Amino acid sequence: MERTVGRAARASAQLLTAFGLAVVSYFFLALLVFTAGTALLVIGAGMVPETALLLHRLTGYKRRKVAAWTGEPLPEAYAQLTGTLSERVRTAVKDPGTRQDLRWYALHCVYGMLLPFLALPVWFAGLVVDGVWCGALHRRAVVLPLIERLADLDAAWSRALLMPSPEARRTAELAERVEELTVTRAGAVAAHGAELRRIERDLHDGAQARLVALSMRVGLAKRAYENDPDMTRKLLDDAQDQAEEALTELRHVVRGIHPPILTDRGLVGAVRALAAGSGLDVRVDVVGLDGEPAPAEGTGPAEGTGPAEGTGPADGTGPADGTGSPGDPGPAGGAGSAAVPVGAPRAPAAVEAAAYFVVAEALTNAAKHSGADRASVRLERAADRLRLTVRDEGRGGADDSGRGGSGLLGMRRRVAALDGTVDMSSPVGGPTVIEVELPCVW
């Protein structure tokens, strides 16, 4: 009997919510009449889209209550109210979702008031009948469960009235997809512009400056050639050093655009090289990318595998300053990787590059900010995507909003440009876990 009363009380709460929403709907009716009247006079046309949005919020609340009662989500599909005032008014009037909400609104004003009133006599009868039948005779309750049936009826009618048609859902999903692609395209354009500025800055401040110094030393050496051979030799030695430094700078810029190690060793080898040069004890697990049926373990730092200096892109488009893309570290301690086996699955170059820079940025942040001494990287091939997870056991509290630095924001932009997703969990106290999925055709 106690459980029966509890279920009936829960159903009554659901019906009281419907009753309250129906009462609000009657007050909303005055707004609908006022909006329709002023819209016919043209002066109130601007209220049409706002009233439609208010109606959407009203039905959205009902959708959430129905979903909570039934345990099944009730989707919504509305046209985007954007553009000029005339376009917004036209969209609001022609939107099938808005017309559907109006049908629900008209009927809910009736059954939303009727069903709660029907529950009142059921309560009185149920407490008497089921109190004896169920409480004294220990039989199954027969009256109070009818209140649950009334709540089920309210949910079923609302679901039937508010469920969007397949065509409306496809249209809404397409509009949402277009909006999402617009945002990601803007992020990709911003990331591309930042990358170009980084390359320009690196060339101007690095290789170009060294080439200018090289030209000056060669000119001085030509002038001193006949009068001071020792000075000429010293100037030529300096010029040679400048040429080597300029070549190194150019290699760093190239690695920041697309690290050659990705082409030579593939994603697995490049990530293992990053792990070896990160300064942390990094475990690398690989599933399905290099022919290994079980996860393969990489080791921590090894001699001769350190990263090149300052080769990473800045401005949020890749690894933070000082990360670098490792050069060509030899296999030491299991960190280096041999060439990709023939026939091993390879992701497209853009996907590999995005995954590489995500790992580089994550390991750089872990080494510089987390205070951790160990981390792990997992690469996994799925049917239509590449999954990677980077975890460090540091202090946590990472912020990817862009206020604390552009690296994590650039990571999100790079992944979003390929229609991927980034999920980051970094509670204060750690650990920090970054999970990335990149769509991929193998």
Side-chain angles (χ1 to χ4, degrees):
M1 182 64 182
E2 182 178 353
R3 289 194 301 269
T4 301
V5 172
R7 290 196 299 268
R10 178 173 175 265
S12 298
Q14 181 74 10
L15 291 173
L16 285 176
T17 301
F19 177 79
L21 194 59
V23 172
V24 172
S25 299
Y26 280 104
F27 288 101
F28 186 70
L29 178 61
L31 178 61
L32 284 178
V33 173
F34 179 77
T35 300
T38 55
L40 291 176
L41 298 175
V42 182
I43 59 174
M47 293 186 59
V48 173
E50 301 303 324
T51 304
L53 289 174
L54 186 59
L55 179 62
H56 296 170
R57 294 189 183 96
L58 194 67
T59 54
Y61 176 78
K62 184 61 178 181
R63 282 187 169 92
R64 291 191 295 273
K65 298 301 293 185
V66 171
W69 176 257
T70 61
E72 298 179 2
L74 182 55
E76 60 182 29
Y78 300 114
Q80 297 294 325
L81 297 178
T82 57
T84 63
L85 177 59
S86 60
E87 291 174 344
R88 296 179 65 203
V89 172
R90 192 180 305 110
T91 302
V93 172
K94 295 183 177 180
D95 183 17
T98 302
R99 293 199 296 267
Q100 187 177 45
D101 288 354
L102 287 172
R103 286 194 296 270
W104 166 84
Y105 168 80
L107 294 175
H108 187 264
C109 287
V110 178
Y111 71 81
M113 298 287 288
L114 177 62
L115 294 179
F117 279 110
L118 292 178
L120 291 177
V122 176
W123 262 110
F124 292 120
L127 290 176
V128 176
V129 175
D130 289 338
V132 176
W133 184 257
C134 181
L137 301 179
H138 303 289
R139 302 293 182 87
R140 185 184 297 274
V142 294
V143 178
L144 288 178
L146 294 178
I147 300 177
E148 294 184 73
R149 302 296 181 271
L150 292 175
D152 291 338
L153 190 61
D154 172 78
W157 285 348
S158 297
R159 177 175 291 275
L161 291 170
L162 292 176
M163 178 65 71
S165 65
E167 182 180 356
R169 293 184 63 181
R170 284 194 299 268
T171 302
E173 290 172 357
L174 179 60
E176 183 179 357
R177 180 61 174 161
V178 169
E179 184 178 0
E180 178 184 353
L181 290 176
T182 301
V183 174
T184 57
R185 183 185 65 178
V189 170
H192 178 68
E195 179 76 359
L196 290 179
R197 290 191 297 272
R198 180 195 67 81
I199 295 172
E200 180 183 8
R201 185 176 60 251
D202 289 349
L203 290 175
H204 181 272
D205 298 341
Q208 178 177 306
R210 298 188 187 280
L211 289 174
V212 170
L214 171 62
S215 176
M216 293 176 61
R217 281 173 170 76
V218 171
L220 292 174
K222 289 172 63 178
R223 291 184 182 182
Y225 176 72
E226 295 182 356
N227 300 326
D228 194 346
D230 293 335
M231 178 61 69
T232 301
R233 187 177 297 107
K234 183 179 183 304
L235 289 172
L236 290 176
D237 290 340
D238 291 343
Q240 184 178 8
D241 293 339
Q242 291 288 341
E244 292 176 355
E245 292 173 358
L247 182 60
T248 301
E249 291 287 346
L250 288 174
R251 286 174 177 168
H252 291 173
V253 173
V254 171
R255 287 171 184 154
I257 299 172
H258 185 83
I261 193 172
L262 278 176
T263 303
D264 298 338
R265 298 185 178 180
L267 179 60
V268 174
V271 168
R272 284 176 172 161
L274 280 175
S278 68
L280 302 175
D281 182 11
V282 181
R283 173 188 176 93
V284 180
D285 294 336
V286 181
V287 178
L289 285 176
D290 57 354
E292 299 177 7
E297 179 178 352
T299 62
E303 295 181 1
T305 60
E309 297 178 359
T311 61
D315 293 330
T317 60
D321 292 334
T323 310
S325 302
D328 294 325
S337 175
V340 180
V342 177
R346 289 287 300 269
V351 174
E352 285 192 342
Y356 175 86
F357 284 121
V358 166
V359 175
E361 176 67 36
L363 291 181
T364 298
N365 289 339
K368 293 174 63 176
H369 306 298
S370 71
D373 57 2
R374 67 181 185 275
S376 64
V377 179
R378 178 181 176 86
L379 301 173
E380 181 180 356
R381 175 196 177 190
D384 59 348
R385 61 193 59 245
L386 170 67
R387 296 193 183 99
L388 66 94
T389 304
V390 184
R391 175 189 176 102
D392 70 71
E393 305 298 330
R395 62 177 62 95
D399 180 16
D400 64 342
S401 64
R403 294 188 298 268
S406 57
L408 292 175
L409 179 59
M411 177 195 302
R412 287 190 177 276
R413 284 177 172 176
R414 186 182 288 272
V415 172
L418 298 176
D419 204 20
T421 59
V422 178
D423 291 323
M424 186 178 73
S425 173
S426 184
V428 176
T432 296
V433 181
I434 299 176
E435 297 179 336
V436 175
E437 290 194 357
L438 292 165
C440 182
V441 177
W442 302 93

